[in-house]
Amino acid sequence: MEDFSSLMGGFAVAISGYNILLMVVGILLGVIIGVLPGLGGANGVAILLPLTFGMDPTSAIIMLTSIYWGALFGGAITSILFNIPGEPWSVATTFDGHPMAQKGKADEALVGAFTSSFVGAIFAVVLITFLAPVIAKFALRFGPAEFFAVQFLTFASFLGMGRGSAMKTLASMCLGFALASVGLDGVTGTLRLTFGYDELLNGFKFLVAVIGLFGIGEILSSMEEGLAFRGAAAKLKMDAVIRTWRQLPRMAVTFLRSCIVGSWMGITPGGATPASFMGYGLAKRFSRNGRNFGKGELEGVVAPETAAHAAGTAAMLPMLTLGIPGSPTAAVLLGGLLIWGLQPGPLLFVEQKEFVWGLIASMYMGNVVGLVIVLTCVPLFAAILRVPFSIIAPAIVVVCAIGAYTVNNSMFDVWMMLVFGVMGYLFTKLGYPLPPLVLALVLGDQAESSFRQAMLTSQGDVTVFWHNWLSGGIMTLGVILALWPLVSMLLGKKEGDDKVTTTA
């Protein structure tokens, strides 16, 4: 009952005229970011984060999360109309969305995508509403050992659950740790890795790094690819909306399955992209129309969009309750909270109740507003792709440079943004994942602090991380996930040897 009262208080904060205006502006910007290939939720939030420095933290987070909701919605537009995934998690939507558009059913595909995205997001927000206070109260029992165990599990999850090379993921993460260690040691006051630059005494500015890695890096990659936009036009009429909505109740099982898969992948650091593919794969496996997937099946649009939105929204749960981001965008939002002087974690629900419940209430409202906007403004957003990329790219670079400069009003940060931009481009070209680097850059200081505090209290005894069932269980799971790629490689090698022996 207390949580319900807090949620109602959160709605009172979120429905103020100023916050609703920021919500609408944020969603419009987010949809544009989602429509433009080469950008994305994390990129857009990182680029526009400096705009919120002068705002109240509650209003700022409402605008930034609205950008994220808009980007989640916007990715489906280009996937369906142009066969160009505006977001990585929209790749699976192209499999059936674009064939539907080619058959003249673009309106049905878009309505199905937007509605399923809304359902997935609302499911995850309800989950956050009920689970966040419980997890936060439980996490109040955490000490340094427990916090490091959770942080270690987060890093290990990227190794154990990653889709790419485990060695590349590990290398990316180690570079993030190295960057996070630059500056003054918080315990001894020793300078680390500054190389004589006074500007690095306080370490790399998280915002500058993220703008470079995501914003400039993606623009460089997109410029190399020579984007050309060609696709179908679409206009949503009310009869198409009603006709599509009548079909959706028959897909209730697909909705529920994708919601569960997406929420799980969001809470664990799996992310929206693998969630969308998993949702699509399961739907294809269990659907009565599975054989038609890839030929223009509405259920093939519903499944990945529901899972992606559920994952993208559920990633906020560990970020708010434990200070552990479940996605790259959540990591950027975590950096924003730290910049505003807010420490995500269990105490946030005690010390900043108005902020937390205002944010949760805005998640409900933001997705409702987002659904209305995308259903009514699809032709306008699709027209953005008629603007030559040669005009869009320089404009984005200028916005990135302004955002980096405003962090400290320093040109040094602009140059560092460009360095990180080249690094992001090279990472993309060489197949190294950026999310592990960003996660290590954000959580590196906190993980180091928790580890050193735990070791000091135990006088150097590493078994402190197994001194109770809670930290011991989390650490054991983390060790299993960290070693899982090695175990998989050994098992695969053994199977290969057995086949060779059998053949011989």
Side-chain angles (χ1 to χ4, degrees), residues 425-448:
Y425 167 74
L426 292 176
F427 266 52
T428 302
K429 290 288 291 181
L430 298 175
Y432 284 81
L434 284 176
L437 187 154
V438 174
L439 183 70
L441 185 59
V442 174
L443 291 181
D445 284 341
Q446 296 179 36
E448 180 187 9

Side-chain angles (χ1 to χ4, degrees), residues 122-292:
I122 292 298
F123 181 92
V125 176
V126 171
L127 202 66
I128 292 173
T129 304
F130 287 100
L131 289 185
V134 177
I135 295 175
K137 290 176 183 176
F138 180 71
L140 287 172
R141 300 164 52 188
F142 281 25
E146 286 78 13
F147 273 113
F148 177 76
V150 172
Q151 290 154 353
F152 176 74
L153 176 61
T154 303
F155 298 129
S157 298
F158 274 94
L159 290 174
M161 300 175 63
R163 296 173 60 87
S165 167
M167 290 305 297
K168 288 184 176 182
T169 300
L170 181 61
S172 179
M173 199 177 296
C174 288
L175 179 58
F177 287 132
L179 294 174
S181 67
V182 172
L184 285 172
D185 186 328
V187 176
T188 65
T190 306
L191 284 177
R192 302 188 299 191
L193 303 175
T194 58
F195 301 105
Y197 287 96
D198 293 341
E199 294 87 348
L200 294 179
L201 290 177
N202 293 321
F204 287 109
K205 295 296 180 286
F206 164 77
L207 184 57
V208 174
V210 171
I211 290 176
L213 289 169
F214 286 107
I216 302 298
E218 289 294 334
I219 288 297
L220 291 175
S221 298
S222 300
M223 289 171 64
E224 182 187 29
E225 293 169 3
L227 291 175
F229 306 130
R230 298 183 183 87
K235 187 175 183 180
L236 298 186
K237 296 181 180 179
M238 186 53 65
D239 63 331
V241 174
I242 295 173
R243 185 173 66 251
T244 307
W245 281 353
R246 285 176 178 169
Q247 301 179 53
L248 297 181
R250 298 198 298 266
M251 305 173 193
V253 176
T254 299
F255 273 111
L256 180 60
R257 182 174 55 238
S258 292
C259 283
I260 294 172
V261 167
S263 296
W264 171 252
M265 294 297 287
I267 294 172
T268 61
T273 303
S276 65
F277 281 100
M278 189 178 297
Y280 183 87
L282 290 173
K284 184 176 181 179
R285 171 67 179 81
F286 293 106
S287 173
R288 291 178 297 178
N289 300 320
R291 293 183 178 180
N292 294 328

